[in-house]
């Protein structure tokens, strides 16, 4: 499959790009509003993979071109830009039968830490579903993963990620895809209505890392 990671130059986008490139044979496309920035980062990721003995080509394009021929589109972009990005892609007629996956979480910070700050619909994943064409399949995943650890190919992962989607077959497709990544187990968390509960865990794990000196890049494991 062709997996386009929009915002593939950011933290979570970087981690997903290098992990999918390292652990799967899918074609990975780094997308960005700036095509030249996407090209630079794709080259950086290829070099990092090569340093770990993995010879892989990572493609690159602006967000529109990356989406147009993708099978799966990961919206690894800040929540405040997601709605406008989806609408722009829909207006350009490049959103057809792709599966959109949202890892974004609305958060705000103060002196105490980070706090869940969802849009009025309840979650960013539900916002994606509301803005996307009705024929587009939507799922939420990758919310509670530590971006730095994900991007560190020397780090052995042992974490879970929760998947939400209204269609059971879509959930299964995303779970099967994620389970191709070494050290990440995907679990079903039900329909999109449950996305708020999933997304709200992200500021919690970040705060745990902040307040405990011996904990870094905290993740979640369900037992």
């Amino acid at each position: 499959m062709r997996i386009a990671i929009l915002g593939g130059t950011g933290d979570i986008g970087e981690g997903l790009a290098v992990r999918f490139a390292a652990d799967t044979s899918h074609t990975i496309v780094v997308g960005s509003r700036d095509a030249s920035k996407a090209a630079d980062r794709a080259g950086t990721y290829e070099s990092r993979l090569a340093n770990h003995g993995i010879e892989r080509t990572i493609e690159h394009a602006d967000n529109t071109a990356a989406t147009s021929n993708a099978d799966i589109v990961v919206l690894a972009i800040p929540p405040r830009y997601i709605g406008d990005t989806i609408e722009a892609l829909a207006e350009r007629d490049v959103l057809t039968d792709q599966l959109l996956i949202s890892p974004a979480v609305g958060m705000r910070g103060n002196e105490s830490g980070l706090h869940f700050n969802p849009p009025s619909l309840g979650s960013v994943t539900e916002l994606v579903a509301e803005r996307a064409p009705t024929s587009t399949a939507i799922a939420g995943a990758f919310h509670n993963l530590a971006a730095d650890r994900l991007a560190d190919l020397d780090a052995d992962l042992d974490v879970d990620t929760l998947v939400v989607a209204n269609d059971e077959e879509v959930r299964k497709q995303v779970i099967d895809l994620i389970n191709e990544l070494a050290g990440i187990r995907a679990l079903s968390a039900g329909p999109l209505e449950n996305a708020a509960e999933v997304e709200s865990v992200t500021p919690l794990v970040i705060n745990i890392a902040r307040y405990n000196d011996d904990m870094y890049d905290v993740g979640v494991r369900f037992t």
Side-chain angles (χ1 to χ4, degrees), residues 160-174:
D160 293 333
T161 187
L162 301 174
V163 177
V164 292
N166 286 339
D167 187 295
E168 186 175 354
E169 287 302 312
V170 171
R171 285 202 303 272
K172 184 179 185 303
Q173 180 184 357
V174 176

Side-chain angles (χ1 to χ4, degrees), residues 144-145 158-162 185 201 205 217-222:
N144 313 138
L145 301 178
D158 183 21
V159 293
D160 293 333
T161 187
L162 301 174
R185 181 180 64 165
V201 175
V205 297
D217 299 329
V218 175
V220 176
R221 184 76 177 174
F222 296 95

Side-chain angles (χ1 to χ4, degrees), residues 1-3 5 16-30 41-60 153 177 180-181:
M1 291 187 295
R2 290 182 65 87
I3 302 175
I5 303 176
L16 292 173
V18 297
R19 289 287 175 171
F20 272 114
D23 295 339
T24 79
S25 60
H26 301 301
T27 299
I28 309 303
V29 185
V30 171
R41 296 307 294 269
T44 298
Y45 302 161
E46 288 176 351
S47 297
R48 188 186 312 166
L49 289 160
N51 289 337
H52 286 78
I54 303 168
E55 297 297 331
R56 283 280 266 143
T57 296
I58 297 180
E59 298 185 15
H60 52 84
L153 291 174
L177 174 69
E180 294 182 46
L181 301 176

Side-chain angles (χ1 to χ4, degrees), residues 7-19:
T9 60
D11 292 344
I12 188 67
E14 174 182 353
L16 292 173
V18 297
R19 289 287 175 171

Side-chain angles (χ1 to χ4, degrees), residues 17 27 31 33 43 55 59 64 73 81 91-92 111 131 153 155 160 173 212 215 222:
T27 299
R33 289 178 294 176
E55 297 297 331
E59 298 185 15
T64 300
V73 178
Y81 300 131
E91 289 173 0
R92 294 165 187 157
E111 65 278 2
R131 296 289 187 94
L153 291 174
D160 293 333
Q173 180 184 357
N212 293 272
M215 301 188 76
F222 296 95

Side-chain angles (χ1 to χ4, degrees), residues 78-82 104-110 113-127 195-204 206-207:
R80 63 185 178 275
Y81 300 131
I82 278 186
V105 175
M107 296 183 286
R108 60 178 175 83
N110 60 22
L114 288 177
H115 308 282
F116 186 45
N117 187 37
S120 59
L121 287 170
S123 69
V124 177
T125 307
E126 289 171 291
L127 173 64
E197 285 73 21
V198 175
E199 293 178 18
S200 67
V201 175
T202 299
L204 171 63
I206 294 173
N207 290 335

